[in-house]
Amino acid sequence: DAGVIQSPRHEVTEMGQEVTLRCKPISGHDYLFWYRQTMMRGLELLIYFNNNVPIDDSGMPEDRFSAKMPNASFSTLKIQPSEPRDSAVYFCASSFSGTNGAFFGQGTRLTVV
Amino acid sequence: QKEVEQNSGPLSVPEGAIASLNCTYSDRVSQSFFWYRQYSGKSPELIMSIYSNGDKEDGRFTAQLNKASQYVSLLIRDSQPSDSATYLCAVGGSGGYNKLIFGAGTRLAVHP
């Protein structure tokens, strides 16, 4: 298996623009997590899905953030409109049954100028 | 109180020594515990998992869990410069779903 695949690897955008981050989890995994990592706040859980259903989105910072998982092999995290304080590395991770640890993608480094 | 707490470090140890990394968590019903290693500019990598009280050994790594004290630790024996990284503690498995929460991480520096 190729592991968790995220795209793009790097994204530079202007404030106010819409940003869409994409994730393909490991085949067969039923949990998918979106995290954001910054120096100040560490690795924060934004939202997670179980069997494509959002379970907990309490970590989503504002209504500008939304996430979807239309099927078992694809998820998106959208920020609209983007702001400079959204600059961070965004990680997607997937897990089987939720009890075996999660495996991370390579992350998307987002810079909003 | 943070859900998962770690000392940010840096923890500096000489090559060949034992590095001891600690983590406490707040949710008593947590069921699963993990240690991740993250090199600078890379993604977190799962290195150890533990579910029951006691010790679990894997090569040079030993994870220790004490649910009564809500405490998890990672020991790295014969530390190598290549072990220099940030080590993240993660806790999951409460409330019926595996909400996986990470600590802020401890930076480990192994010097020759």
Side-chain angles (χ1 to χ4, degrees), chain B residues 2 8 12 18 29 34-35 37 39-40 45-47 59-60 63-65 71 73 76-77 89 94 101 105 107 109-110:
Chain B
K2 291 184 179 179
S8 62
S12 183
I18 296 175
V29 300
F34 308 95
W35 284 98
R37 177 176 61 200
Y39 292 113
S40 180
E45 173 193 11
L46 179 63
I47 56 173
R60 295 187 296 113
Q64 300 175 316
L65 173 62
Y71 179 90
S73 65
I76 306 175
R77 291 182 299 281
C89 173
S94 64
I101 302 297
R107 190 156 59 91
V110 181

Side-chain angles (χ1 to χ4, degrees), chain B:
Chain B
Q1 181 189 10
K2 291 184 179 179
E3 294 183 70
V4 181
E5 296 211 46
Q6 297 181 254
N7 187 318
S8 62
L11 175 65
S12 183
V13 300
E15 184 174 356
I18 296 175
S20 178
L21 304 159
N22 305 314
C23 170
T24 58
Y25 60 95
S26 61
D27 191 342
R28 285 191 169 275
V29 300
S30 298
Q31 298 295 320
S32 52
F33 307 86
F34 308 95
W35 284 98
Y36 286 77
R37 177 176 61 200
Q38 186 176 26
Y39 292 113
S40 180
K42 302 295 185 182
S43 57
E45 173 193 11
L46 179 63
I47 56 173
M48 288 288 287
S49 59
I50 188 166
Y51 306 96
S52 305
N53 282 329
D55 295 0
K56 178 181 178 182
E57 186 175 319
D58 184 0
R60 295 187 296 113
F61 298 100
T62 298
Q64 300 175 316
L65 173 62
N66 183 327
K67 290 186 178 180
S69 301
Q70 295 173 242
Y71 179 90
V72 193
S73 65
L74 179 70
L75 301 178
I76 306 175
R77 291 182 299 281
D78 188 23
S79 295
Q80 300 297 310
S82 59
D83 294 327
S84 299
T86 296
Y87 288 80
L88 300 162
C89 173
V91 175
S94 64
Y97 287 98
N98 194 38
K99 180 177 182 177
L100 194 60
I101 302 297
F102 282 79
T106 299
R107 190 156 59 91
L108 173 66
V110 181
H111 53 87

Side-chain angles (χ1 to χ4, degrees), chain A residues 29-63:
Chain A
H29 281 190
D30 56 349
Y31 277 80
L32 184 139
F33 305 85
W34 281 101
Y35 291 92
R36 177 173 69 175
Q37 189 173 41
T38 61
M39 288 293 293
M40 291 296 296
R41 301 176 69 90
L43 198 59
E44 300 176 276
L45 177 63
L46 300 177
I47 184 171
Y48 75 100
F49 296 82
N50 176 230
N51 292 322
N52 314 337
V53 176
I55 302 301
D56 187 341
D57 66 353
S58 60
M60 298 286 257
E62 299 171 35
D63 291 345

